[in-house]
Amino acid sequence: QVQLLESGGGLVQTGGSLRLACAASGRTFISDVMGWFRQAPGKEREFVASTSWSGSNFYFGDSVKGRFTIARDSAKSTVYLQMNNLKPDDTGVYYCAASKIGWSTSPAAYSYWGQGTQVTVSP
């Protein structure tokens, strides 16, 4: 089992920045893929970014490329999502997730999920 706990959400104005953190505990492995997803009201869950504990690769959704970065601190078992130049369309609940079956942008590939943290970007 893997437990994930997100933090760092909040209210920010357009153009502002936020950093989300995801603390992992339990049976984590260096090969695990850690992902961030988001979900706005009435919309499907959307892939945002992913990395692994080894930090060998990074992937981003098209809508956040050039604005968001992802990083991990293996010693703290924490993954960070740095969000810059935020837009109202970035509003939603952001979820951290862990996959043990490899790289994927599909939520179905991720077996473990945090409870989510709300990000609201005002116009």
Side-chain angles (χ1 to χ4, degrees), residues 39-86:
Q39 190 165 20
K43 294 187 177 181
E44 294 186 351
R45 196 161 293 191
E46 176 189 15
F47 171 76
V48 176
S50 62
T51 186
S52 64
W53 289 116
S54 67
S56 58
N57 294 93
F58 307 89
Y59 296 97
F60 297 93
D62 289 341
S63 61
V64 307
K65 284 180 181 176
R67 301 187 297 123
F68 291 12
T69 59
I70 188 170
R72 87 284 179 267
D73 185 334
S74 298
K76 295 182 179 180
S77 297
T78 300
V79 177
Y80 302 96
L81 183 69
Q82 177 67 43
M83 307 185 294
N84 299 325
N85 190 21
L86 283 160

Side-chain angles (χ1 to χ4, degrees), residues 3-10 20-23 35-39 45 83 92-97 112-120:
Q3 293 79 44
L4 304 172
L5 182 62
E6 304 99 333
S7 61
L20 306 183
C22 172
W36 286 96
F37 290 79
R38 67 186 182 189
Q39 190 165 20
R45 196 161 293 191
M83 307 185 294
V93 179
Y94 282 69
Y95 297 92
C96 176
Y112 302 97
W113 293 83
Q115 83 291 348
T117 185
Q118 177 70 44
V119 171
T120 303

